[in-house]
Amino acid sequence: MNWFGFGFNGFGQIRTNEKLTDGESAGDANVTYPISIDIVCRNLEEEPVQICQHNSNVDTQIRTSWSRRAALHSNRLPSRDNNWQTAQPETAVKGDGRLCLAGFGVGTPSQKGCGGCVEESRGCQDAHISEGYLALSFTDRVECWNSERNEKKPGWSMVIPDNTGPSLAFPLVPGGYIASNPPFYRPLSPQLLAVSLALGTEHAVLLTASGDIYTWGSGSHGQLGHGDLSPQEEPRAMEALMGMSMSTVAAGGWHSVCTSAGGDLYVWGWNESGQVGLPSRALRGEQQKSQDTGGASTCKDEEESYDDVFISIQAFPALVDVTQSCEVSKISCGSRHTAAVTSTGDLYTWGWGEYGQLGQGTENSSDEPRRVEFFKDQGLRVVDVVCGPWNTFVSAIKEDPSLHPDTNIINPLTKNDIEWKNCL
Protein backbone atom coordinates (compact mmCIF):
# COMPACT_ATOMS: atom_id res chain seq x y z
CA MET A 1 0.00 0.00 0.00
CA ASN A 2 1.34 3.40 -0.99
CA TRP A 3 0.27 6.79 0.33
CA PHE A 4 -0.05 9.81 -1.93
CA GLY A 5 -0.60 13.45 -1.06
CA PHE A 6 -1.65 16.66 -2.76
CA GLY A 7 -2.71 20.16 -1.76
CA PHE A 8 -1.26 22.58 0.78
CA ASN A 9 2.40 21.91 1.45
CA GLY A 10 3.38 25.09 3.27
CA PHE A 11 5.21 23.19 6.01
CA GLY A 12 6.47 20.19 4.05
CA GLN A 13 3.63 17.89 5.10
CA ILE A 14 3.50 16.28 1.66
CA ARG A 15 6.96 16.55 0.20
CA THR A 16 10.01 17.67 2.09
CA ASN A 17 12.33 20.51 1.15
CA GLU A 18 14.90 18.32 -0.51
CA LYS A 19 12.29 16.99 -2.95
CA LEU A 20 11.30 20.43 -4.21
CA THR A 21 12.49 21.60 -7.59
CA ASP A 22 15.00 24.41 -8.03
CA GLY A 23 13.63 27.75 -6.97
CA GLU A 24 10.85 26.28 -4.82
CA SER A 25 10.55 26.23 -1.08
CA ALA A 26 8.23 24.21 1.11
CA GLY A 27 6.44 27.40 2.07
CA ASP A 28 5.22 28.30 -1.43
CA ALA A 29 4.89 24.99 -3.28
CA ASN A 30 1.38 23.62 -3.60
CA VAL A 31 1.04 20.09 -4.88
CA THR A 32 -1.73 19.87 -7.48
CA TYR A 33 -1.11 16.28 -8.63
CA PRO A 34 -0.92 13.22 -6.36
CA ILE A 35 2.69 12.40 -5.45
CA SER A 36 3.97 9.39 -3.54
CA ILE A 37 4.92 10.10 0.06
CA ASP A 38 8.09 8.66 1.54
CA ILE A 39 7.04 7.51 4.99
CA VAL A 40 10.27 7.37 6.96
CA CYS A 41 10.53 6.36 10.60
CA ARG A 42 13.32 8.21 12.37
CA ASN A 43 14.65 6.66 15.53
CA LEU A 44 16.43 8.95 17.96
CA GLU A 45 19.41 6.63 17.99
CA GLU A 46 19.36 5.24 14.46
CA GLU A 47 19.47 6.39 10.88
CA PRO A 48 16.08 7.03 9.27
CA VAL A 49 14.60 3.93 7.69
CA GLN A 50 11.65 3.47 5.40
CA ILE A 51 9.27 1.07 7.06
CA CYS A 52 5.87 1.19 5.46
CA GLN A 53 5.67 2.07 1.79
CA HIS A 54 6.99 -1.30 0.62
CA ASN A 55 6.77 -3.38 3.79
CA SER A 56 3.68 -5.58 3.64
CA ASN A 57 3.93 -6.42 7.35
CA VAL A 58 3.51 -2.81 8.45
CA ASP A 59 0.19 -1.01 8.27
CA THR A 60 0.26 2.80 8.09
CA GLN A 61 -2.59 5.21 8.67
CA ILE A 62 -2.48 8.98 8.16
CA ARG A 63 -3.79 11.60 10.58
CA THR A 64 -3.63 15.30 9.76
CA SER A 65 -3.95 18.84 11.05
CA TRP A 66 -3.51 22.11 9.18
CA SER A 67 0.28 22.22 9.50
CA ARG A 68 1.30 18.63 10.28
CA ARG A 69 0.93 15.10 9.00
CA ALA A 70 1.12 12.11 11.33
CA ALA A 71 1.88 8.58 10.12
CA LEU A 72 0.74 5.87 12.50
CA HIS A 73 2.77 2.70 11.90
CA SER A 74 1.68 -0.63 13.35
CA ASN A 75 2.73 -4.24 12.85
CA ARG A 76 0.17 -6.42 11.12
CA LEU A 77 0.01 -9.70 12.95
CA PRO A 78 -0.44 -12.89 10.91
CA SER A 79 -3.90 -14.35 10.43
CA ARG A 80 -5.11 -17.45 12.22
CA ASP A 81 -3.50 -19.64 9.57
CA ASN A 82 -0.20 -17.84 10.37
CA ASN A 83 -0.12 -16.31 6.89
CA TRP A 84 1.01 -12.69 6.57
CA GLN A 85 -0.56 -12.32 3.15
CA THR A 86 -4.07 -13.18 4.33
CA ALA A 87 -3.91 -10.69 7.20
CA GLN A 88 -5.54 -7.74 5.47
CA PRO A 89 -4.94 -4.22 6.87
CA GLU A 90 -8.64 -3.62 7.48
CA THR A 91 -9.17 -6.73 9.59
CA ALA A 92 -5.79 -7.80 10.95
CA VAL A 93 -5.09 -7.46 14.65
CA LYS A 94 -2.44 -4.79 15.01
CA GLY A 95 0.62 -4.92 17.18
CA ASP A 96 2.43 -2.05 18.85
CA GLY A 97 2.19 1.22 16.99
CA ARG A 98 4.32 4.30 16.70
CA LEU A 99 3.60 7.79 15.42
CA CYS A 100 5.87 9.81 13.15
CA LEU A 101 5.32 13.48 12.32
CA ALA A 102 6.04 15.71 9.34
CA GLY A 103 5.36 19.40 8.90
CA PHE A 104 5.57 22.47 11.09
CA GLY A 105 8.22 22.33 13.79
CA VAL A 106 9.34 18.83 12.83
CA GLY A 107 12.85 18.09 11.65
CA THR A 108 15.09 20.29 9.55
CA PRO A 109 15.42 20.79 5.78
CA SER A 110 18.14 18.13 5.67
CA GLN A 111 15.96 15.47 7.27
CA LYS A 112 13.81 13.10 5.27
CA GLY A 113 10.18 12.05 5.40
CA CYS A 114 8.61 12.02 8.82
CA GLY A 115 11.44 14.02 10.36
CA GLY A 116 10.80 12.64 13.83
CA CYS A 117 9.03 9.83 15.64
CA VAL A 118 7.16 10.56 18.83
CA GLU A 119 8.96 8.40 21.36
CA GLU A 120 6.02 8.57 23.77
CA SER A 121 3.72 7.07 21.13
CA ARG A 122 5.27 3.61 21.25
CA GLY A 123 2.46 1.10 21.62
CA CYS A 124 -0.37 3.47 20.67
CA GLN A 125 -3.36 2.15 18.75
CA ASP A 126 -4.62 5.41 17.23
CA ALA A 127 -4.10 9.16 17.37
CA HIS A 128 -5.79 12.49 16.80
CA ILE A 129 -3.72 15.54 15.88
CA SER A 130 -4.74 19.20 16.05
CA GLU A 131 -2.76 22.43 15.91
CA GLY A 132 -2.42 22.59 19.67
CA TYR A 133 -2.51 19.02 20.89
CA LEU A 134 -1.65 15.42 20.07
CA ALA A 135 -3.96 12.76 21.52
CA LEU A 136 -2.63 9.20 21.72
CA SER A 137 -4.92 6.23 22.28
CA PHE A 138 -3.49 3.13 23.99
CA THR A 139 -5.27 -0.07 24.98
CA ASP A 140 -5.52 1.08 28.61
CA ARG A 141 -5.30 4.89 28.50
CA VAL A 142 -5.46 8.11 26.50
CA GLU A 143 -2.74 10.76 26.66
CA CYS A 144 -2.92 14.35 25.40
CA TRP A 145 0.32 16.22 24.72
CA ASN A 146 0.80 19.90 24.02
CA SER A 147 2.22 20.15 20.50
CA GLU A 148 3.91 23.48 21.21
CA ARG A 149 5.82 22.46 24.32
CA ASN A 150 8.68 20.08 24.91
CA GLU A 151 6.97 18.23 27.72
CA LYS A 152 8.33 15.24 29.63
CA LYS A 153 4.88 13.93 30.43
CA PRO A 154 1.40 14.36 28.96
CA GLY A 155 -0.55 17.43 29.97
CA TRP A 156 -3.63 15.24 30.47
CA SER A 157 -4.36 11.53 30.61
CA MET A 158 -7.12 9.14 31.58
CA VAL A 159 -7.46 5.43 32.18
CA ILE A 160 -9.76 3.68 29.70
CA PRO A 161 -12.26 1.38 31.41
CA ASP A 162 -13.18 -1.96 29.91
CA ASN A 163 -15.57 -1.57 26.99
CA THR A 164 -18.53 -3.92 27.10
CA GLY A 165 -20.46 -2.19 24.31
CA PRO A 166 -19.89 -1.89 20.55
CA SER A 167 -16.38 -1.56 19.14
CA LEU A 168 -15.37 2.10 19.25
CA ALA A 169 -13.36 4.14 16.76
CA PHE A 170 -11.15 6.85 18.24
CA PRO A 171 -11.80 9.63 19.32
CA LEU A 172 -14.64 7.67 20.94
CA VAL A 173 -13.80 6.07 24.28
CA PRO A 174 -16.07 4.20 26.68
CA GLY A 175 -18.55 6.69 28.07
CA GLY A 176 -17.64 9.61 25.83
CA TYR A 177 -15.06 10.99 23.42
CA ILE A 178 -11.79 12.89 23.31
CA ALA A 179 -12.06 16.47 22.01
CA SER A 180 -9.38 18.46 20.19
CA ASN A 181 -9.10 21.03 22.99
CA PRO A 182 -9.62 21.10 26.77
CA PRO A 183 -11.63 19.80 28.43
CA PHE A 184 -10.51 16.73 26.52
CA TYR A 185 -12.97 14.18 27.86
CA ARG A 186 -16.59 14.87 26.91
CA PRO A 187 -19.27 12.43 28.17
CA LEU A 188 -21.93 10.88 25.93
CA SER A 189 -25.11 9.13 26.90
CA PRO A 190 -24.60 5.34 26.89
CA GLN A 191 -28.05 5.05 25.29
CA LEU A 192 -26.60 6.43 22.04
CA LEU A 193 -24.50 3.29 21.47
CA ALA A 194 -22.00 5.36 19.48
CA VAL A 195 -19.58 3.55 17.16
CA SER A 196 -18.03 6.39 15.14
CA LEU A 197 -17.55 10.14 15.61
CA ALA A 198 -16.36 12.88 13.24
CA LEU A 199 -15.29 16.25 14.63
CA GLY A 200 -15.63 19.39 12.51
CA THR A 201 -14.38 22.87 13.31
CA GLU A 202 -17.36 23.68 15.51
CA HIS A 203 -19.61 20.66 15.30
CA ALA A 204 -19.73 16.87 15.70
CA VAL A 205 -21.38 14.06 13.72
CA LEU A 206 -22.01 10.75 15.48
CA LEU A 207 -22.97 7.34 14.08
CA THR A 208 -24.77 4.83 16.29
CA ALA A 209 -24.71 1.04 16.19
CA SER A 210 -28.19 1.06 14.64
CA GLY A 211 -27.07 3.34 11.79
CA ASP A 212 -28.68 6.55 13.07
CA ILE A 213 -26.89 9.91 13.02
CA TYR A 214 -26.75 12.54 15.74
CA THR A 215 -25.22 16.01 15.44
CA TRP A 216 -24.47 18.87 17.82
CA GLY A 217 -22.43 22.06 18.11
CA SER A 218 -22.65 25.15 15.95
CA GLY A 219 -25.30 25.18 13.23
CA SER A 220 -24.41 28.56 11.72
CA HIS A 221 -23.90 27.08 8.24
CA GLY A 222 -26.46 24.28 8.35
CA GLN A 223 -23.77 21.73 9.22
CA LEU A 224 -26.04 19.97 11.75
CA GLY A 225 -28.59 19.01 9.08
CA HIS A 226 -31.71 19.86 11.11
CA GLY A 227 -33.11 22.34 8.60
CA ASP A 228 -32.13 25.49 10.48
CA LEU A 229 -29.04 27.38 11.61
CA SER A 230 -29.54 26.92 15.33
CA PRO A 231 -26.84 25.44 17.59
CA GLN A 232 -27.38 22.25 19.55
CA GLU A 233 -25.86 21.76 22.99
CA GLU A 234 -26.65 18.03 23.10
CA PRO A 235 -26.64 15.31 20.43
CA ARG A 236 -29.83 15.53 18.36
CA ALA A 237 -31.04 12.84 15.99
CA MET A 238 -31.15 13.76 12.31
CA GLU A 239 -34.82 13.14 11.59
CA ALA A 240 -34.37 13.48 7.82
CA LEU A 241 -32.25 10.31 7.78
CA MET A 242 -34.19 8.26 10.31
CA GLY A 243 -35.09 4.82 9.01
CA MET A 244 -32.12 4.70 6.63
CA SER A 245 -29.14 2.82 8.01
CA MET A 246 -25.92 4.84 7.66
CA SER A 247 -22.44 3.31 7.69
CA THR A 248 -19.87 6.16 7.74
CA VAL A 249 -19.72 9.82 8.75
CA ALA A 250 -17.31 12.69 8.10
CA ALA A 251 -17.17 16.34 9.15
CA GLY A 252 -15.51 19.28 7.43
CA GLY A 253 -15.04 22.82 8.59
CA TRP A 254 -18.71 23.72 8.21
CA HIS A 255 -20.22 20.83 6.27
CA SER A 256 -20.98 17.17 6.93
CA VAL A 257 -21.17 13.94 4.93
CA CYS A 258 -22.44 10.42 5.48
CA THR A 259 -22.94 7.26 3.44
CA SER A 260 -25.73 4.76 3.69
CA ALA A 261 -25.31 1.02 4.02
CA GLY A 262 -26.15 0.85 0.31
CA GLY A 263 -23.37 3.26 -0.69
CA ASP A 264 -25.47 6.41 -1.20
CA LEU A 265 -23.88 9.76 -0.31
CA TYR A 266 -25.66 12.45 1.70
CA VAL A 267 -24.22 15.93 2.29
CA TRP A 268 -25.32 19.09 4.10
CA GLY A 269 -23.94 22.40 5.38
CA TRP A 270 -22.00 25.30 3.86
CA ASN A 271 -21.57 25.19 0.09
CA GLU A 272 -19.59 28.40 -0.49
CA SER A 273 -16.86 26.55 -2.38
CA GLY A 274 -19.00 23.73 -3.74
CA GLN A 275 -17.94 21.35 -0.96
CA VAL A 276 -21.49 19.99 -0.63
CA GLY A 277 -21.49 19.08 -4.32
CA LEU A 278 -24.40 21.36 -5.25
CA PRO A 279 -24.35 24.46 -7.51
CA SER A 280 -22.50 27.30 -5.75
CA ARG A 281 -23.19 30.91 -6.73
CA ALA A 282 -19.87 32.15 -5.36
CA LEU A 283 -17.95 29.46 -7.21
CA ARG A 284 -19.79 29.96 -10.49
CA GLY A 285 -19.20 33.71 -10.16
CA GLU A 286 -15.46 33.17 -9.84
CA GLN A 287 -15.45 30.85 -12.83
CA GLN A 288 -17.37 33.39 -14.89
CA LYS A 289 -14.85 36.10 -14.05
CA SER A 290 -11.96 33.90 -15.12
CA GLN A 291 -13.71 33.16 -18.42
CA ASP A 292 -14.84 36.73 -19.04
CA THR A 293 -13.42 38.16 -22.25
CA GLY A 294 -14.17 41.70 -21.24
CA GLY A 295 -17.31 42.08 -23.39
CA ALA A 296 -20.56 43.45 -21.98
CA SER A 297 -23.10 40.83 -20.96
CA THR A 298 -26.37 40.69 -22.81
CA CYS A 299 -29.87 40.75 -21.30
CA LYS A 300 -30.22 37.12 -22.37
CA ASP A 301 -27.10 36.18 -20.43
CA GLU A 302 -28.44 37.90 -17.32
CA GLU A 303 -31.84 36.20 -17.66
CA GLU A 304 -30.24 32.78 -17.95
CA SER A 305 -28.12 33.40 -14.86
CA TYR A 306 -31.26 34.11 -12.83
CA ASP A 307 -32.74 30.78 -13.92
CA ASP A 308 -29.89 28.88 -12.29
CA VAL A 309 -30.54 27.42 -8.85
CA PHE A 310 -27.67 27.98 -6.42
CA ILE A 311 -27.23 26.56 -2.95
CA SER A 312 -25.28 28.60 -0.40
CA ILE A 313 -26.34 26.63 2.67
CA GLN A 314 -27.87 23.17 2.52
CA ALA A 315 -29.50 22.82 5.93
CA PHE A 316 -31.06 19.40 5.19
CA PRO A 317 -29.13 16.34 3.97
CA ALA A 318 -29.12 16.11 0.17
CA LEU A 319 -28.46 13.01 -1.91
CA VAL A 320 -25.49 13.60 -4.23
CA ASP A 321 -24.78 11.26 -7.13
CA VAL A 322 -21.00 10.88 -7.26
CA THR A 323 -21.29 8.23 -9.95
CA GLN A 324 -24.24 6.15 -11.08
CA SER A 325 -22.23 3.03 -11.75
CA CYS A 326 -20.94 2.21 -8.25
CA GLU A 327 -21.30 2.82 -4.54
CA VAL A 328 -19.36 5.13 -2.23
CA SER A 329 -17.25 3.19 0.28
CA LYS A 330 -15.02 5.80 1.99
CA ILE A 331 -15.46 9.52 2.63
CA SER A 332 -13.45 12.35 4.15
CA CYS A 333 -13.83 16.11 4.48
CA GLY A 334 -11.34 18.96 4.51
CA SER A 335 -12.10 22.46 5.65
CA ARG A 336 -13.98 23.23 2.43
CA HIS A 337 -13.50 20.20 0.20
CA THR A 338 -14.75 16.62 0.10
CA ALA A 339 -13.32 13.32 -1.15
CA ALA A 340 -15.01 9.98 -1.76
CA VAL A 341 -13.73 6.51 -2.70
CA THR A 342 -16.03 4.28 -4.73
CA SER A 343 -16.42 0.51 -4.61
CA THR A 344 -14.51 0.34 -7.89
CA GLY A 345 -11.44 2.00 -6.33
CA ASP A 346 -11.88 5.44 -7.92
CA LEU A 347 -11.33 8.72 -6.09
CA TYR A 348 -13.68 11.67 -6.56
CA THR A 349 -13.07 15.15 -5.15
CA TRP A 350 -14.96 18.44 -5.12
CA GLY A 351 -15.08 21.78 -3.30
CA TRP A 352 -12.33 24.29 -2.63
CA GLY A 353 -9.20 23.67 -4.72
CA GLU A 354 -7.04 26.76 -4.24
CA TYR A 355 -4.08 24.71 -2.97
CA GLY A 356 -4.48 21.79 -5.36
CA GLN A 357 -6.26 19.67 -2.74
CA LEU A 358 -8.62 18.23 -5.36
CA GLY A 359 -5.72 16.50 -7.14
CA GLN A 360 -6.85 17.58 -10.60
CA GLY A 361 -3.58 19.27 -11.57
CA THR A 362 -5.04 22.76 -11.11
CA GLU A 363 -5.91 25.13 -8.28
CA ASN A 364 -9.51 25.41 -9.43
CA SER A 365 -12.51 24.70 -7.24
CA SER A 366 -15.47 22.56 -8.32
CA ASP A 367 -19.04 22.09 -7.15
CA GLU A 368 -19.31 18.78 -9.00
CA PRO A 369 -17.62 15.50 -8.00
CA ARG A 370 -14.84 14.74 -10.45
CA ARG A 371 -12.71 11.63 -10.69
CA VAL A 372 -8.99 12.03 -10.03
CA GLU A 373 -7.69 10.43 -13.20
CA PHE A 374 -4.14 10.02 -11.90
CA PHE A 375 -4.88 6.78 -10.07
CA LYS A 376 -6.75 5.19 -12.94
CA ASP A 377 -4.00 6.22 -15.37
CA GLN A 378 -1.39 4.63 -13.11
CA GLY A 379 -3.35 1.40 -12.74
CA LEU A 380 -4.01 2.05 -9.05
CA ARG A 381 -6.99 1.16 -6.93
CA VAL A 382 -7.74 3.68 -4.16
CA VAL A 383 -8.53 2.05 -0.82
CA ASP A 384 -8.60 4.97 1.61
CA VAL A 385 -8.66 8.77 1.73
CA VAL A 386 -7.90 11.21 4.55
CA CYS A 387 -8.46 14.93 4.08
CA GLY A 388 -6.47 17.55 5.94
CA PRO A 389 -8.00 21.02 6.18
CA TRP A 390 -6.25 22.15 2.96
CA ASN A 391 -4.79 18.92 1.55
CA THR A 392 -5.65 15.30 0.79
CA PHE A 393 -3.90 11.99 1.42
CA VAL A 394 -4.77 8.79 -0.43
CA SER A 395 -3.67 5.17 -0.11
CA ALA A 396 -3.71 2.97 -3.20
CA ILE A 397 -2.64 -0.47 -4.39
CA LYS A 398 -1.96 -1.91 -7.79
CA GLU A 399 -5.18 -2.55 -9.69
CA ASP A 400 -3.86 -5.93 -10.89
CA PRO A 401 -2.61 -7.91 -7.87
CA SER A 402 -1.07 -10.54 -10.17
CA LEU A 403 1.77 -8.09 -10.82
CA HIS A 404 3.02 -8.62 -7.26
CA PRO A 405 0.87 -11.40 -5.79
CA ASP A 406 2.76 -11.67 -2.52
CA THR A 407 2.51 -8.06 -1.46
CA ASN A 408 0.11 -6.24 -3.79
CA ILE A 409 2.27 -3.12 -3.66
CA ILE A 410 3.85 -0.70 -6.08
CA ASN A 411 7.37 -1.39 -7.34
CA PRO A 412 8.55 -3.46 -4.36
CA LEU A 413 12.23 -3.04 -3.57
CA THR A 414 14.55 -6.00 -3.33
CA LYS A 415 16.88 -6.70 -0.45
CA ASN A 416 19.69 -5.37 -2.61
CA ASP A 417 17.94 -2.01 -2.84
CA ILE A 418 17.40 -1.43 0.85
CA GLU A 419 17.61 -3.35 4.11
CA TRP A 420 14.22 -3.16 5.74
CA LYS A 421 14.28 -2.51 9.43
CA ASN A 422 11.43 -2.42 11.86
CA CYS A 423 11.68 0.27 14.49
CA LEU A 424 8.36 -0.34 16.17
Side-chain angles (χ1 to χ4, degrees), residues 106-399:
V106 182
T108 65
S110 63
Q111 292 179 339
K112 300 178 180 180
C114 291
C117 275
V118 180
E119 183 65 26
E120 295 80 8
S121 69
R122 187 185 297 272
C124 72
Q125 304 296 302
D126 207 339
H128 178 75
I129 184 171
S130 65
E131 286 307 297
Y133 298 92
L134 173 64
L136 302 176
S137 173
F138 300 84
T139 56
D140 60 347
R141 69 191 187 281
V142 174
E143 298 178 352
C144 290
W145 297 76
N146 191 309
S147 301
E148 300 175 354
R149 301 175 184 172
N150 186 18
E151 298 177 320
K152 301 296 183 182
K153 59 181 182 179
W156 178 90
S157 64
M158 68 169 284
V159 176
I160 297 180
D162 293 336
N163 180 29
T164 57
S167 177
L168 302 177
F170 196 67
L172 287 174
V173 294
Y177 68 99
I178 305 301
S180 303
N181 297 294
F184 293 109
Y185 177 75
R186 313 283 177 92
L188 289 172
S189 170
Q191 297 179 350
L192 289 174
L193 295 178
V195 294
S196 180
L197 176 68
L199 299 177
T201 301
E202 301 173 322
H203 74 293
V205 184
L206 180 146
L207 177 68
T208 70
S210 60
D212 294 326
I213 290 182
Y214 288 73
T215 61
W216 68 95
S218 171
S220 60
H221 294 79
Q223 62 264 48
L224 300 185
H226 299 304
D228 56 27
L229 309 183
S230 302
Q232 296 292 328
E233 295 294 331
E234 300 294 332
R236 176 183 171 185
M238 287 189 61
E239 297 178 1
L241 296 176
M242 294 293 286
M244 296 184 289
S245 180
M246 298 296 149
S247 58
T248 59
V249 294
W254 300 271
H255 73 292
S256 308
V257 183
C258 71
T259 61
S260 70
D264 292 326
L265 180 73
Y266 294 88
V267 294
W268 61 95
W270 198 27
N271 193 46
E272 186 264 353
S273 298
Q275 59 265 45
V276 172
L278 301 175
S280 167
R281 179 180 296 276
L283 180 56
R284 298 294 175 89
E286 293 177 0
Q287 293 173 346
Q288 183 62 37
K289 288 181 180 179
S290 65
Q291 297 172 1
D292 191 4
T293 59
S297 62
T298 66
C299 292
K300 181 178 180 181
D301 293 333
E302 294 178 357
E303 291 175 357
E304 289 178 349
S305 67
Y306 284 115
D307 291 337
D308 293 334
V309 178
F310 296 106
I311 304 297
S312 175
I313 291 179
Q314 178 65 31
F316 279 112
L319 176 64
V320 172
D321 287 329
V322 175
T323 173
Q324 297 181 354
S325 60
C326 53
E327 303 172 353
V328 173
S329 59
K330 297 285 183 69
I331 52 173
S332 187
C333 296
S335 176
R336 287 186 285 162
H337 75 287
T338 309
V341 180
T342 67
S343 57
T344 56
D346 292 321
L347 175 70
Y348 286 79
T349 59
W350 61 97
W352 191 41
E354 184 172 333
Y355 292 95
Q357 59 265 49
L358 302 187
Q360 303 290 352
T362 71
E363 296 176 356
N364 298 331
S365 301
S366 173
D367 56 12
E368 297 179 0
R370 296 181 178 177
R371 188 172 70 177
V372 180
E373 299 295 341
F374 168 86
F375 298 101
K376 182 65 65 175
D377 293 343
Q378 297 296 317
L380 300 176
R381 180 184 180 89
V382 175
V383 295
D384 199 5
V385 61
V386 177
C387 290
W390 296 359
N391 46 34
T392 307
F393 298 91
V394 178
S395 66
I397 59 176
K398 272 293 184 183
E399 184 71 40

Side-chain angles (χ1 to χ4, degrees), residues 52-84:
C52 75
Q53 288 291 75
H54 304 288
N55 191 340
S56 61
N57 295 339
V58 176
D59 183 26
T60 297
Q61 299 297 320
I62 296 294
R63 304 290 182 261
T64 66
S65 68
W66 177 68
S67 65
R68 297 181 181 92
R69 180 198 80 220
L72 178 63
H73 308 300
S74 57
N75 286 331
R76 282 199 290 127
L77 302 182
S79 59
R80 293 181 179 179
D81 59 0
N82 203 33
N83 189 333
W84 285 103

Side-chain angles (χ1 to χ4, degrees), residues 7-18 20 25-31 65-69 101-109 111 113-115 131 355 389-391 393:
F8 179 63
N9 189 54
F11 301 98
Q13 315 91 303
I14 298 174
R15 58 177 180 179
T16 53
N17 293 8
E18 64 180 29
L20 302 179
S25 66
D28 60 13
N30 299 329
V31 179
S65 68
W66 177 68
S67 65
R68 297 181 181 92
R69 180 198 80 220
L101 300 177
F104 178 73
V106 182
T108 65
Q111 292 179 339
C114 291
E131 286 307 297
Y355 292 95
W390 296 359
N391 46 34
F393 298 91

